[in-house]
Amino acid sequence: MDYSNEPEHSELLVVQAQEPFNAEPLSAALVEFQLTPEELVYCRNHGPVRQFSEDDYTLTVKGMVGKEVTLSMRDIKTMFPQTRVVAALQCAGNRRNEMGAIKRVHGVGWNDGVIANCSWGGVKLCDVLKYAEIQHDNAHVCFTSYATLCQDDTYYGSSIPVERAMNTENDVLLAFEMNHEALSAEHGGPLRLVVPGVLGARWVKWLDTIIVSPDESPNFYQQRDYKVLPPTIETKADAKDVWSKYPAIESLPLNSVIALAVHHPSSSSLFVKGYAVPGSSGNVASVEVSINDGESWVSAKITYQKGRWSWTLWEAEVTDVPQSGTVFSRAIDELGRVQNKECVWNMRGVAYNAWGHKSW
Ligand SMILES: Nc1nc2c(c(=O)[nH]1)N[C@H]1C(S)=C(S)[C@@H](COP(=O)(O)O)O[C@H]1N2
Ligand SMILES: [Mo]
């Protein structure tokens, strides 16, 4: 694969792999901003980053539709109402290194910065699908970027169920703006998919083709990756023949991370700050922290949450702390579900969501 045309990458990221380019910020930097500035948005690639001119870029919609259409970027921007949504983009591999500490996992070694909370601008996917006269019983909407080569397949692809795509409240967008600016090549410009509440792997960058199909996307990244395999499957060889038995991840689980813990010895207090994200059963309602034992918990203050799809920022000041120790965090959602102390290991190291922790 050809990596000679990569755009300049942000210098504020910790590079976890050079080719393909995979890099994340420190979570302590991330939580300083409600909306993640572009230089702090992680980069997750399975192949080279491609740069396209908007002028001759097109999107084709085909498959189970009444009318197959090919739209230019100008068509997309002028034929459909434009809209914006704040949504957290998170890789399923966020916190993978913590799962890898339990037992070896396969995948890029990620810490806890593989998340970005951005304002995405574009048009609603459902409007474009309606225009193509989608016929939608039990179907899947498959997204592909034939424009890019990948490590494990000849193109990058994903799919979501039609119901998620067609329910306007889900805010699934064909996005051409990030944080009120033109979407950069690095993050999938001219056009990427945005699926709030769903793992980043489905948010296809450099999107050029949508196929409405009776089946899920046959792409490698939908079928043989991004699944939580049972812990009995320990190696790639074990996994080889069983991928199709397990569902593709859609929502990532309820999670919280401690990004920084600052100890003030003179007042015996600890200032703690972090982020949280919801699972599939309602938004984050509260975040709690515990010193050392995980028995007694105090509520953190939620300092930011915007609509249904953003991350939650929180902070807490805990008094009477010892000279050194460990602080834990857990998130609780609107249904009262509580983030678990531990997370069951899986071979790919995806969807890790044990309590957040930080030592001082
Ligand atoms: N075409 C294409 N789209 C892609 C990917 C990719 O490698 N190629 N990576 C996916 C994954 S796994 C994630 S987490 C997000 C990362 O988006 P970002 O690089 O803008 O942060 O894009 C998704 N879309
Ligand atoms: Mo990802």
Side-chain angles (χ1 to χ4, degrees):
M1 274 182 284
D2 181 5
Y3 290 96
S4 60
N5 297 313
E6 296 278 303
E8 242 177 76
H9 302 297
S10 164
E11 287 179 2
L12 299 182
L13 304 177
V14 179
V15 179
Q16 306 294 19
Q18 196 67 49
E19 294 180 351
F21 188 73
N22 286 299
E24 66 178 309
L26 295 177
S27 57
L30 269 182
V31 298
E32 291 306 309
F33 303 91
Q34 298 180 336
L35 283 186
T36 310
E38 163 132 27
E39 310 81 67
L40 290 179
V41 176
Y42 76 91
C43 298
R44 174 55 177 128
N45 295 297
H46 295 87
V49 173
R50 290 280 310 270
Q51 303 184 67
F52 298 94
S53 149
E54 178 159 335
D55 300 338
D56 49 14
Y57 196 86
T58 59
L59 171 75
T60 297
V61 186
K62 59 187 189 182
M64 292 158 64
V65 291
K67 114 181 150 191
E68 185 172 318
V69 292
T70 294
L71 303 166
S72 66
M73 286 304 299
R74 198 190 142 79
D75 292 337
I76 294 170
K77 289 179 176 174
T78 55
M79 288 166 55
F80 307 98
Q82 295 192 13
T83 181
R84 278 204 181 99
V85 65
V86 173
L89 164 66
Q90 185 186 197
C91 184
N94 195 21
R95 306 184 68 190
R96 178 177 283 138
N97 286 339
E98 291 173 73
M99 196 178 276
I102 303 172
K103 192 164 69 180
R104 184 172 175 234
V105 292
H106 296 264
V108 175
W110 291 118
N111 296 321
D112 54 14
V114 205
I115 183 166
N117 193 58
C118 296
S119 169
W120 306 96
V123 299
K124 288 208 170 189
L125 172 66
C126 57
D127 289 342
V128 176
L129 290 176
K130 274 185 216 145
Y131 176 76
E133 296 164 13
I134 180 172
Q135 294 142 5
H136 61 93
D137 279 295
N138 263 330
H140 298 263
V141 187
C142 303
F143 305 95
T144 69
S145 175
Y146 289 118
T148 56
L149 286 172
C150 294
Q151 292 162 298
D152 309 282
D153 208 326
T154 50
Y155 66 98
Y156 190 88
S158 76
S159 60
I160 58 172
V162 156
E163 307 86 77
R164 183 178 284 277
M166 292 310 289
N167 184 342
T168 171
E169 287 179 11
N170 286 331
D171 295 316
V172 183
L173 299 193
L174 301 176
F176 42 78
E177 276 179 19
M178 187 174 95
N179 297 342
H180 303 251
E181 282 181 38
L183 184 64
S184 63
E186 184 104 271
H187 296 293
L191 193 67
R192 91 175 295 171
L193 184 71
V194 165
V195 199
V198 167
L199 73 159
R202 312 289 173 238
W203 300 34
V204 173
K205 301 190 274 191
W206 317 292
L207 175 66
D208 54 30
T209 311
I210 297 177
I211 306 168
V212 181
S213 158
D215 304 307
E216 276 192 349
S217 167
N219 190 262
F220 179 93
Y221 300 101
Q222 183 76 26
Q223 297 298 335
R224 292 188 291 287
D225 200 351
Y226 297 107
K227 294 187 176 189
V228 178
L229 299 176
T232 47
I233 304 214
E234 297 186 335
T235 62
K236 282 190 175 169
D238 293 345
K240 198 170 159 281
D241 297 319
V242 299
W243 282 110
S244 63
K245 290 196 192 154
Y246 300 96
I249 304 173
E250 206 173 337
S251 305
L252 287 171
L254 179 67
N255 214 338
S256 70
V257 157
I258 301 179
L260 86 163
V262 184
H263 181 223
H264 300 287
S266 54
S267 56
S268 304
S269 67
L270 187 75
F271 177 72
V272 195
K273 193 167 177 176
Y275 67 79
V277 283
S280 57
S281 59
N283 212 341
V284 173
S286 59
V287 177
E288 297 176 340
V289 295
S290 177
I291 303 293
N292 287 336
D293 59 359
E295 300 273 312
S296 55
W297 295 85
V298 292
S299 285
K301 184 173 156 217
I302 289 184
T303 56
Y304 172 83
Q305 192 177 68
K306 173 113 181 145
R308 243 175 107 188
W309 311 118
S310 81
W311 67 2
T312 295
L313 293 178
W314 56 269
E315 58 190 52
E317 181 94 44
V318 195
T319 49
D320 292 324
V321 300
Q323 275 305 103
S324 64
T326 302
V327 55
F328 298 99
S329 71
R330 65 179 189 189
I332 297 149
D333 74 13
E334 288 163 338
L335 281 192
R337 297 231 167 99
V338 184
Q339 182 186 352
N340 280 331
K341 179 177 184 182
E342 274 153 13
C343 175
V344 178
W345 180 93
N346 65 77
M347 197 262 295
R348 289 290 276 110
V350 286
Y352 186 82
N353 74 329
W355 289 349
H357 58 94
K358 198 119 224 154
S359 295
W360 76 92

